């Protein structure tokens, strides 16, 4: 399990700047302004910071960084100067500034002179950004001296006690993000369906009520669509229910996740190139798990039920075939044209189960559902689909506040018609055009008209090859902060 770096807050102290070890971080505005602590540091290192600030090469835009190595007369090994832009930063900008710090201080003992940010709340946001960017997935690195491991962050700012207080719930959310990233980064030979279920069951220690439904139970319920996806794998299919009842007696928000621990495509086998990426095909379930962890860690006053469908999609003598017809839990029959369109089969049964069992006030599903979504929006935005404008607007605002890109996509009857099957009630693919939308239409067939619902296709954003302002290469944890924010905005009493 990846833990947050060690973080402490204290008030500014200009007396010991020459004695601090490791890396010292200070801010510069686009006009060249240093903070009071930055001024003091500049004096004791012979003016290197003010010279950098005045130089043409350093623009001091949000997140611009320059590292001054082995500054004279200091014990520190480096001064990291980070730009804060032209205007006073808002929360998202402060997180990005923190992210830039985190990206350049991996494994280092770091003192962040955060008195140039404009108050304790923004210092806390920058701390969140740094903590998120300092994530490193090193569980399978044999050498535990890996340069990314360890290090600390000592934040110095006025009203440090207020900054520490503001950071507390933010860092609880960050722990949720880390949980999600660990799950997504974990290879499929380690994170089997049962290993996944066990990690979720372990969250009972945080006060979540966790229930694991095994194949026998799923069969008895009638989740034939979900079971058909997993029937080619020796790993047993499971549905895991995580309940956080921190609210009153109002109906819960249901969060549903696609948890395909590996997607080979099944008999409709994927090509070899890039297939290893399909170890992240449980990303939706990973995000749901991370949100549940964050809610429990910060003791959210809301009722939220997370339900994930955990399966592995393998080619095998027992695997389902193209052309098979399966009966869903709802009762509708599905012609499986392509066994690689498996996520929607899993979600169909979990969505229906969630509504029948928990009568949710709203339901949001997350899934790495389609390659078409990646083509449409790339890795900057997830696409979301909704049958309820109020919920959609609230989610869009929460995602924006969290700094996570999300773009609303359309639904419509004409798209739904593309799912018409010759032999069954529907087929599981609608053809190449509008592939992300027809996938969403398929899911909507398992959503009751009266249930406000959002489907979020995170295929493009769940992991990143290049790294992002707040995450290194690999799993991003996209969505944990947006959904945590939505819970704060709309579901907390
Ligand atoms: N897990 C994939 C979608 C995916 C693609 C996620 C790329 C992340 C990155 C999904 O199960 C899938 O294979 N979808 C097919 C559907 C098609 C057969 C209708 C796709 O998008 O090609
Ligand atoms: Mn697939
Ligand atoms: Zn898939």
């Amino acid at each position: 399990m990846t833990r947050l770096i060690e973080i402490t807050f204290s008030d500014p102290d200009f007396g010991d700047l020459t004695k601090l070890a490791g890396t010292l971080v200070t801010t510069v505005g686009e006009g060249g302004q240093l903070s009071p602590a930055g001024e003091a540091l500049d004096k004791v290192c012979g003016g290197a910071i003010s010279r950098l600030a005045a130089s043409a090469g350093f623009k001091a835009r949000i997140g611009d960084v320059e590292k001054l190595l082995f500054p004279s007369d200091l014990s520190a090994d480096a001064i990291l100067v980070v730009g804060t832009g032209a205007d006073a930063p808002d929360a998202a900008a402060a997180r990005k500034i923190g992210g830039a710090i985190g990206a350049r201080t991996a494994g280092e003992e770091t003192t962040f002179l955060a008195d140039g940010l404009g108050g304790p709340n923004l210092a806390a946001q920058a701390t969140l950004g740094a903590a998120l960017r300092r994530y490193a997935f090193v569980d399978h690195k044999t050498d535990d001296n890996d340069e990314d491991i360890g290090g600390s962050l000592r934040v110095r700012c006025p009203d440090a006690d207020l900054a520490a207080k503001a950071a507390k719930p933010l860092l609880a959310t960050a722990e949720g993000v880390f949980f999600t990233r660990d799950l997504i980064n974990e290879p499929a030979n380690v994170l089997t369906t049962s290993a996944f279920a066990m990690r979720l069951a372990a969250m009972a220690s945080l006060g979540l009520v966790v229930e694991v439904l095994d194949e026998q139970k799923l069969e008895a319920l009638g989740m034939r669509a979900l079971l058909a996806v997993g029937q080619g794998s020796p790993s047993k299919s499971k549905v895991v229910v995580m309940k956080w009842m921190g609210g009153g007696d109002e109906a819960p928000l249901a969060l549903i996740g696609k948890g395909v621990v590996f997607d080979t495509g099944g008999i409709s086998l994927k090509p070899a190139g890039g297939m290893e990426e399909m170890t992240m095909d449980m990303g939706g379930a990973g995000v749901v798990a991370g949100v549940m962890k964050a809610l429990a860690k910060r003791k959210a006053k809301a009722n939220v039920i997370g339900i994930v469908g955990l399966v592995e999609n393998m080619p095998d003598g027992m695997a389902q075939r193209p052309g098979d017809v399966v009966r869903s839990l709802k009762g509708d029959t599905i012609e499986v044209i392509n066994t690689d369109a498996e996520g929607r089969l899993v979600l169909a049964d979990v969505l229906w189960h969630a509504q029948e069992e928990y009568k949710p006030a709203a339901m949001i599903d997350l899934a790495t559902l389609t390659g078409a979504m990646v083509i449409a929006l790339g890795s900057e935005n997830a696409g979301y689909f909704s049958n309820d404008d109020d919920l959609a607007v609230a989610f869009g605002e929460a995602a924006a506040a969290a700094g996570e890109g999300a773009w609303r996509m359309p639904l419509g009857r004409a798209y739904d018609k593309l799912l018409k099957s010759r032999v069954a009630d529907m087929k599981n693919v609608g053809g190449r055009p509008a592939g992300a939308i027809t996938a969403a239409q398929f899911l909507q067939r398992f959503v009751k008209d009266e249930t406000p619902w959002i489907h979020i296709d995170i295929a493009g954003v769940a992991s990143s090859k290049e790294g992002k302002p707040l995450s290194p290469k690999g799993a991003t944890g996209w969505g944990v902060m947006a959904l945590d924010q939505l819970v704060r905005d709309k579901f907390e009493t």
Side-chain angles (χ1 to χ4, degrees), residues 373 377 382-386 391-393 395-397 399 405-410 454-457 478:
M373 196 74 255
L377 298 178
Y384 65 102
F385 304 76
S386 183
L391 184 63
V393 167
F395 174 71
E397 287 174 358
W407 190 260
R408 188 166 176 188
M409 300 281 294
I454 301 178
H455 156 58
I456 313 176
D457 193 335
W478 186 101

Side-chain angles (χ1 to χ4, degrees), residues 258 263 265 270 278 281 313 339-343 369:
K258 167 180 172 182
D263 180 14
K270 286 181 182 294
M278 285 304 120
D281 208 23
N313 190 20
T339 64
D340 197 12
E342 84 297 340
L369 202 63

Side-chain angles (χ1 to χ4, degrees), residues 150-475:
S152 59
L153 184 65
R154 289 181 290 269
V155 184
R156 292 185 172 192
C157 63
D159 299 318
D161 48 337
L162 294 180
K165 201 171 158 210
K168 203 168 178 231
L170 301 179
L171 295 176
T173 308
E175 287 196 56
V177 174
F178 275 32
F179 188 48
T180 298
R181 288 179 183 172
D182 277 356
L183 290 166
I184 294 180
N185 282 328
E186 202 67 273
N189 61 327
V190 175
L191 195 75
T192 59
T193 52
S194 354
F196 200 158
M198 272 160 65
R199 288 196 194 187
L200 300 182
M203 287 205 291
S205 65
L206 300 175
L208 287 157
V209 177
V210 186
E211 196 186 337
V212 180
L213 313 183
D214 62 13
E215 283 192 349
Q216 219 182 341
K217 178 79 200 208
L218 301 179
E219 197 77 63
L221 284 165
M223 292 206 196
R224 281 301 321 155
L226 180 147
L227 286 165
V229 175
Q231 74 192 26
S233 170
S235 290
K236 301 258 184 282
S237 300
K238 296 181 193 302
V239 168
V240 181
V241 182
M242 297 159 270
K243 292 186 200 155
W244 177 256
M245 295 306 210
D249 42 16
E250 69 276 5
L253 166 68
L255 299 177
I256 313 296
K258 167 180 172 182
V260 177
V261 295
F262 196 81
D263 180 14
T264 64
I267 297 298
S268 313
L269 194 63
K270 286 181 182 294
M275 199 203 278
E276 73 284 356
E277 285 169 34
M278 285 304 120
T279 187
M280 53 70 113
D281 208 23
M282 32 53 67
V287 173
V288 171
V291 176
M292 298 312 295
K293 180 157 193 171
L295 297 175
K297 282 267 171 185
R298 67 174 185 81
K299 304 214 183 325
K301 293 186 172 54
N303 294 337
V304 183
I305 300 184
I307 315 180
V308 295
L310 309 181
V311 301
E312 185 174 40
N313 190 20
M314 292 294 250
D316 180 80
M318 294 288 283
Q320 69 173 333
R321 293 156 290 255
D324 283 5
V325 174
V326 295
R327 187 178 292 280
S328 66
L329 172 63
K330 181 186 174 190
D332 295 355
T333 56
I334 303 163
E335 182 188 8
V336 181
I337 298 291
N338 189 321
T339 64
D340 197 12
E342 84 297 340
R344 62 198 75 182
L345 300 174
V346 173
L347 290 173
D349 280 350
V350 181
L351 287 166
W352 195 255
H353 179 68
Q355 294 164 95
E356 291 288 281
E357 191 70 24
Y358 302 106
K359 309 265 177 298
M363 181 163 71
I364 300 178
D365 76 75
L366 295 107
T368 49
L369 202 63
T370 66
M373 196 74 255
V374 188
I375 300 301
L377 298 178
S379 65
E380 292 304 314
N381 285 285
Y384 65 102
F385 304 76
S386 183
N387 63 358
D388 186 286
D389 288 343
D390 290 340
L391 184 63
V393 167
F395 174 71
E397 287 174 358
E404 294 181 324
W407 190 260
R408 188 166 176 188
M409 300 281 294
L411 291 164
R413 269 185 59 82
Y415 296 112
D416 187 70
K417 283 194 188 143
L418 300 172
L419 297 170
K420 206 167 158 49
S421 160
R422 182 176 58 84
V423 297
D425 298 332
M426 71 194 84
K427 55 184 183 178
N428 76 330
V429 295
R432 273 171 64 82
I437 306 176
T438 51
Q441 292 295 160
F442 182 95
L443 298 181
Q444 192 174 13
R445 288 174 174 237
F446 299 89
V447 176
K448 298 179 183 181
D449 286 339
E450 65 267 24
T451 308
W453 158 76
I454 301 178
H455 156 58
I456 313 176
D457 193 335
I458 61 170
V461 296
S463 85
S464 152
K465 285 203 183 75
E466 287 82 35
K468 293 276 177 189
L470 298 185
S471 59
K473 290 176 186 170

Side-chain angles (χ1 to χ4, degrees), residues 80-93:
L80 187 74
V81 181
V82 56
T84 56
D87 310 311
D90 60 9

